[in-house]
Amino acid sequence: MSEEKLISIVIVNYRVPDFLARTLTSLREADDYDTAEIIVVDNASQDDSKETITAQFPEVNWIGLKNNIGFGKACNVGAQSARGTFLLLLNPDTLVSKNTLRVCVDFFKAHPEAGIMGPKIINANGTLQASCRRSFPSPQVAFFKLVGLSRLFPKSKTFSRYNLNYLDPDECARVDAISGSFMFMPLGVFREINGFDETFFMYGEDLDLCYRVLSLGRSVWYNPATQIVHFKGKSAAKQSWKAKKAFYEAMIIFSRKHKKTHAAFFPSQLLFLGIMALAAVNFIAGLFKTFTACFIDLLFINTILWLGISVRFSMLAMENPYFGSNTATVLLMHGLLSLAFIGIFFYRGVYSKERYSIVNSLVAGLFASMVFMVAVFFVNSMAFSRIAFLLSTIGITLVLVAWREVLPKLISRFRRFIFSTGTVIVLGNDSIALALIKNVETDASATIAGVLWPVNEQHPGQFEGYPVLGHIEDIKHILANGHVDQLLIATAQPWYSYVIEALATVKVHRLTIRWVSPELFNRTGEKLPDVIPLRDFTV
């Protein structure tokens, strides 16, 4: 007979092994982790997720699916194997606090009538994630949100009902719905309502689940006694357009299914049109974001082609085609080449932040060049300078990739030149922390204020000539009482919970948190790199 567990934690993974590893690490640090089982359902990631995770976390029960069946359906698959009294549905891009599991269990012991509970969820910059407590969508609620009245009157129970902004974020409250990134409930309740409605693919299923929990006569709770960090949308970012499409489809499904919620009947045709209008607005906004990049690309494409043709005909001592009988044809070349590059860049996702890469850009440029050269080859009237066209397409491809790589680096260096790194605190007490301090000392704009000791034990008072400001337990007090610009974390000791609690309770401005990857601490006996690589905590 299989061993029973108190908590079954189901996590659906889709191509985010690095984030999933951080989530599992934070769970390992949590109280009562030994009473939990971890079930990871992989939605056909087709990457190294399984190898990466099972090597670091052999206790994980891995369920690999052959197809991406969506979030809700995958959760249902994981819940079928659950053996716990309680079920936690957790996103792979979250970090939990040390007390999270214990607080959740204690809450249901004190509130046996409750059906589902969610914690206080904060963004990576410490701000409250508004979606962690919500009301059910209705035409009135959505209208107040869309026209900005909820922002203008955040404390109004009428206008700010969309995200319940009028509630104190540090007080426990009964709400309509909580975020699907963290849903804690008795496993029996989940099974009584037959889990998630599998009609929903990726969004809306959390609202629907909360609605059906309430229909059982049980309550939905927001409980800020514990906090988590949610790096929102990391899985969805892997397929940005599909994610947006799924979001609007989910809105339509939920609205049609529960259109009489709270007697708020609204004609489904008008509701559909409203949602489509919102989708159109978001799509147009997305196009505007890429307009600048398109403009720069067009500028380079046409300038390089002009230079290529002009130089080629100048070398041959021939009439410049821009001022002769071939003017119309050469202008047609400009249009065709521009269309080839811009169209294929769009198709390949080069204008998408999530899909952009050097390789992808080079492939797109090569493909666009081939399309253009094939057209030139087969249409004789356009083939008046194949060499100029070929060299121009090669130059365009390289320049379009180069400006994307070089410009961000120049901007970053300019910012570092104009704005100082500021006050730095280093969390750590070993050779890696020491090497990181040496790196920071080379930055003339940085000032190391001191060191935080990563464990609650006697410290020497100073480390590498810098004062030890306290233990990791003191991080809230230190951030609250002193201006800190950067917190650099260089320790393998547990730190997630302390940082999460500090972010959730202390108002800090412009704080950058960076941390040394855990892999570096596992390189025993190996020489440390000259520059310690750091990851951004904020994403």
Side-chain angles (χ1 to χ4, degrees), residues 226-265:
T226 187
Q227 305 88 32
I228 71 164
V229 172
H230 182 207
F231 301 96
K232 194 172 184 180
K234 290 297 107 181
S235 291
K238 298 292 183 180
Q239 46 177 356
S240 178
W241 171 246
K242 289 183 179 179
K244 290 178 180 179
K245 180 174 178 289
F247 172 75
Y248 292 112
E249 287 176 347
M251 289 177 66
I252 293 170
I253 293 169
F254 183 87
S255 299
R256 286 176 174 170
K257 184 176 179 180
H258 304 298
K259 64 182 180 181
K260 293 186 179 180
T261 299
H262 304 302
F265 175 78

Side-chain angles (χ1 to χ4, degrees), residues 105-388:
V105 172
D106 289 346
F107 178 85
F108 275 91
K109 288 180 180 178
H111 300 81
E113 81 291 346
I116 191 168
M117 188 213 85
K120 181 179 183 180
I121 303 178
I122 57 176
N123 297 303
N125 61 3
T127 58
L128 180 73
Q129 200 163 102
S131 61
C132 64
R133 71 263 168 94
R134 292 174 285 176
S135 64
F136 293 124
S138 69
Q140 183 187 56
V141 168
F143 175 78
F144 292 151
K145 170 74 173 178
L146 289 174
V147 300
L149 289 175
S150 60
R151 185 183 295 271
L152 289 173
F153 305 100
K155 298 304 178 182
S156 168
K157 291 185 179 181
T158 300
F159 296 132
S160 66
R161 190 162 172 75
Y162 189 87
N163 289 125
L164 305 176
N165 296 324
Y166 56 86
L167 294 178
D168 186 337
D170 295 317
E171 286 189 8
C172 195
R174 293 175 70 152
V175 295
D176 282 350
I178 56 173
S179 169
S181 60
F182 186 110
M183 306 183 92
F184 193 94
M185 62 196 306
L187 179 60
V189 172
F190 186 81
R191 288 177 173 166
E192 186 177 355
I193 61 174
N194 296 316
F196 282 116
D197 181 344
E198 296 181 1
T199 307
F200 297 91
F201 182 78
M202 187 160 53
Y203 297 107
E205 65 283 304
D206 49 356
L207 287 172
D208 177 73
L209 187 79
C210 291
Y211 180 85
R212 288 185 288 120
V213 167
L214 288 170
S215 298
L216 291 179
R218 289 180 173 266
S219 50
V220 177
W221 286 84
Y222 162 76
N223 182 14
T226 187
Q227 305 88 32
I228 71 164
V229 172
H230 182 207
F231 301 96
K232 194 172 184 180
K234 290 297 107 181
S235 291
K238 298 292 183 180
Q239 46 177 356
S240 178
W241 171 246
K242 289 183 179 179
K244 290 178 180 179
K245 180 174 178 289
F247 172 75
Y248 292 112
E249 287 176 347
M251 289 177 66
I252 293 170
I253 293 169
F254 183 87
S255 299
R256 286 176 174 170
K257 184 176 179 180
H258 304 298
K259 64 182 180 181
K260 293 186 179 180
T261 299
H262 304 302
F265 175 78
F266 199 67
S268 58
Q269 294 85 353
L270 292 180
L271 186 62
F272 179 82
L273 289 175
I275 292 171
M276 288 299 100
L278 182 60
V281 168
N282 277 274
F283 179 74
I284 293 171
L287 289 180
F288 272 110
K289 289 181 180 179
T290 61
F291 175 78
T292 302
C294 284
F295 179 79
I296 295 173
D297 285 346
L298 287 170
L299 188 63
F300 279 125
I301 291 168
N302 290 281
T303 300
I304 293 173
L305 181 59
W306 171 74
L307 285 173
I309 294 175
S310 298
V311 170
R312 175 62 176 165
F313 278 79
S314 175
M315 292 173 62
L316 296 174
M318 296 175 63
E319 180 186 33
N320 191 320
Y322 288 97
F323 305 105
S325 59
N326 287 324
T327 301
T329 304
V330 78
L331 292 178
L332 179 63
M333 296 297 92
H334 277 272
L336 180 61
L337 186 60
S338 298
L339 182 63
F341 270 92
I342 298 300
I344 292 173
F345 269 38
F346 263 109
Y347 177 76
R348 294 281 305 180
V350 176
Y351 293 109
S352 167
K353 182 179 179 181
E354 292 80 18
R355 294 176 61 190
Y356 170 78
S357 69
I358 296 179
V359 173
N360 192 22
S361 299
L362 287 172
V363 170
L366 178 62
F367 191 30
S369 300
M370 290 173 59
V371 169
F372 178 73
M373 291 306 298
V374 167
V376 169
F377 182 82
F378 284 106
V379 181
N380 290 330
S381 63
M382 297 164 55
F384 54 84
S385 186
R386 291 191 178 101
I387 292 177

Side-chain angles (χ1 to χ4, degrees), residues 494-516:
W495 57 268
Y496 290 132
S497 186
Y498 300 103
V499 171
I500 293 170
E501 187 179 0
L503 289 175
T505 56
V506 178
K507 290 188 181 299
V508 290
H509 300 285
R510 299 177 184 173
L511 174 66
T512 299
I513 301 175
R514 308 188 73 197
W515 57 293
V516 177

